[in-house]
Amino acid sequence: MSDAVQTQSNSKFKKRVFSGIQPSGGLTLGNYLGAVKRFVQLQNEEIETIYCMVDLHAITVWQDPEQLKNNTRQLAAFYIASGLNPEKSILFNQSAVSEHAELGWIFNCVARMGWMKRMTQFKDKAGKNAENASLGLFGYPALMAADILAYHATHVPVGDDQKQHLELTRDIAAKFNHDFGVDFFPMIDPVIGGPAARVMSLRDGSKKMSKSDPSDQSRINMSDDADSIAQKFRKAKTDPDALPSEELGLENRPEAKNLVAIYAALGDQSVEQVLSDVGGKQFSEFKPMLVERAVETLSPITGEMNRLMQDVSEIDRVLKDGADKARAIAAPILQRTYDIVGLLRPERS
Ligand code: TYM
C-alpha cells in the first residue's frame, strides 16, 4: 500500500488494517476475491493486520446456535487456508472481545437515526418488513464503526457493498471528535478496488454474487468441488459476442465483464492485461481457461479448510490467542474513550 493513501487527518495514527466477515454460513467467491485475498496481500506487506469473525453482526438476523459456532470456526479455517497466518495477523471472533459491544453502545449514542435510515444495506436486508427487523440490524453500522475504531485502525479492506458503512464510520468518528473536542478517532481510509471489488451473480450481471441468492447456480461457494465450479462457469450467462481486446468493449456487457474480472482477480492481473491476451476469443474457449484458473486457486483452499476443520481445538486455540492480542490493543482505547465521554470506570488491573 503506498503512502499516498495515508490521509492528513490520520497521519498521527500508526497504519493498522482491520476488517471482518460475518460467520453466517455460505462463503462465496465474492468474499474471497473482494475481501480475504486482499486481507492476505495486506498482511504480506508487513502492515499490522487484524481480521475478525463478526459473530455479533451475524446474530442481527436469526442464527441457529450450533450452526453459528460451526460457521465461526469454518470462517477461521477459511482465513487460514487462504493464507492468513495467525503469527502475522490477529485472528479472532468479535464476541470474545467485549470492547466491540461496549464501544458499539457509545456509538449508538453518537450516530443519528437519520444516518442509519439512509443505509441501503439495512433497506435491502430488512426488505418490506422493516418493522419486524431486529433493532440490532438497524444499529449494525454503529457496531461496525466500533469494530474498526476500537483499534484505531486506519485502513479497511472490503468489497464495494461496504462503502456506505465505511463512510458512516468516518461520520461517527468525526462527530465524536467534534462533540468532545478531541482528535481521538482516526478518519479511516476504505481499501476498495481492483477488478473484484464487486463480483456479480453468474446468472445476472446486474446483481451482486451473494450467499442469499435463491439460485445456487448464481454463485461459486468456497465449499464447491472442481466439478461444480466447472459446471457453474460453463452454465454462466454470457452474450454471443467474442471478447473485446480493450476494456471499453466490455461496456454494456455485464456478464462478460464479470467473468473477465473474476479471471483477472484470480490471476492477480488487471482487466486490461487479461483482454490483451484473450481479446478475440469466444466464450467457448475462454470459459475452460476460467475454470482451470478457478479450480487451481480454490481447490487447495477448500481442501485445507476441510483439513483444518478436522481439529477444531487448534482453531479454538488460534481464536483465543487472537482475542487476547486484540483485547490488549482495544482495552486502553476503550478506557480512554470512557474517560473522554465522562463514564467513570476504575482502571482494570
Ligand atoms: P459480509 O460478511 O457481508 O462480507 C464480507 C466481505 O466480503 C465482501 N463481499 C464481496 N466483495 C465483492 N463481491 C461480492 N459479491 C462480495 N460479497 C461479499 C464484502 O464487501 C465484505 O468485505 N459489514 C460487513 C462485516 C463487518 C466489517 C466490519 C467489515 C463487520 N464489521 C468492520 C469491515 C470492518 C459484512 O457484512 O460483510
Side-chain angles (χ1 to χ4, degrees):
M1 190 166 37
S2 74
D3 281 336
V5 292
Q6 187 98 26
T7 57
Q8 190 58 39
S9 50
N10 69 19
S11 56
K12 76 169 194 171
F13 296 94
K14 188 177 150 208
K15 252 186 203 178
R16 186 178 275 155
V17 172
F18 182 96
S19 197
I21 295 184
Q22 297 192 64
S24 41
L27 295 161
T28 70
L29 182 62
N31 296 130
Y32 177 65
L33 293 177
V36 180
K37 188 168 156 63
R38 317 198 69 221
F39 296 180
V40 177
Q41 284 163 349
L42 289 163
Q43 166 192 273
N44 294 343
E45 285 182 30
E46 305 298 330
I47 305 164
E48 192 179 358
T49 43
I50 307 175
Y51 298 122
C52 189
M53 288 120 246
V54 290
D55 47 8
L56 295 174
H57 277 112
I59 61 164
T60 56
V61 298
W62 169 252
Q63 303 292 329
D64 174 82
E66 277 312 309
Q67 275 295 325
L68 178 59
K69 288 179 189 166
N70 188 58
N71 289 338
T72 303
R73 292 179 174 125
Q74 188 115 38
L75 178 54
F78 176 44
Y79 278 173
I80 298 167
S82 301
L84 291 179
N85 176 350
E87 301 295 319
K88 286 186 166 183
S89 292
I90 298 178
L91 308 180
F92 71 105
N93 61 304
Q94 188 186 28
S95 60
V97 179
S98 58
E99 280 75 6
H100 290 246
E102 293 177 77
L103 187 59
W105 178 257
I106 292 176
F107 287 168
N108 278 343
C109 303
V110 172
R112 306 288 95 183
M113 292 284 284
W115 300 357
M116 303 310 233
K117 281 188 184 154
R118 284 195 287 275
M119 293 295 113
T120 54
Q121 190 152 315
F122 174 74
K123 291 186 214 163
D124 291 347
K125 281 198 175 180
K128 290 195 189 84
N129 208 0
E131 290 296 307
N132 205 29
S134 73
L135 192 54
L137 189 66
F138 189 64
Y140 180 115
L143 179 60
M144 182 160 160
D147 296 339
I148 300 164
L149 297 174
Y151 300 91
H152 278 180
T154 54
H155 293 83
V156 187
V158 285
D160 185 62
D161 60 340
Q162 296 300 313
K163 198 170 174 181
Q164 197 186 29
H165 287 161
L166 296 190
E167 279 158 13
L168 190 98
T169 299
R170 291 171 67 105
D171 290 342
I172 289 177
K175 182 161 165 53
F176 182 99
N177 288 347
H178 174 267
D179 288 356
F180 294 101
V182 289
D183 184 16
F184 186 62
F185 287 117
M187 287 297 121
I188 54 151
D189 285 312
V191 183
I192 305 175
R198 196 171 181 81
V199 178
M200 309 307 278
S201 155
L202 301 181
R203 309 298 297 160
D204 177 351
S206 68
K207 282 200 327 207
K208 194 185 71 162
M209 180 180 285
S210 160
K211 63 174 177 235
S212 49
D213 192 308
S215 165
D216 192 56
Q217 294 294 323
S218 69
R219 62 182 161 263
I220 304 289
N221 304 301
M222 291 309 298
S223 54
D224 285 344
D225 61 17
D227 286 346
S228 318
I229 294 174
Q231 186 260 357
K232 285 179 181 178
F233 277 130
R234 234 184 282 122
K235 287 204 172 159
K237 187 173 169 202
T238 48
D239 56 44
D241 296 337
L243 285 163
S245 35
E246 283 178 11
E247 215 171 330
L248 211 62
L250 289 173
E251 295 239 321
N252 304 320
R253 296 180 66 187
E255 285 83 16
K257 189 173 173 187
N258 187 39
L259 295 187
V260 171
I262 292 173
Y263 184 81
L266 283 168
D268 294 317
Q269 288 180 297
S270 68
V271 166
E272 270 176 33
Q273 279 168 333
V274 169
L275 291 178
S276 72
D277 292 343
V278 304
K281 284 192 197 304
Q282 296 293 333
F283 280 103
S284 54
E285 209 179 331
F286 176 67
K287 280 183 170 180
M289 292 169 63
L290 176 59
V291 169
E292 193 183 319
R293 192 174 268 194
V295 170
E296 219 168 70
T297 310
L298 304 181
S299 289
I301 298 176
T302 310
E304 181 62 3
M305 272 172 80
N306 293 340
R307 194 191 65 78
L308 290 165
M309 285 301 282
Q310 308 278 306
D311 182 7
V312 295
S313 64
E314 176 55 18
I315 292 181
D316 291 355
R317 195 197 57 73
V318 167
L319 293 181
K320 182 185 178 311
D321 187 48
D324 290 344
K325 290 183 192 155
R327 200 174 306 113
I329 302 173
I333 293 175
L334 189 75
Q335 184 72 31
R336 177 81 185 107
T337 309
Y338 270 52
D339 186 47
I340 290 170
V341 174
L343 301 169
L344 288 176
R345 184 160 82 154
E347 290 269 352
R348 287 181 185 170
S349 50

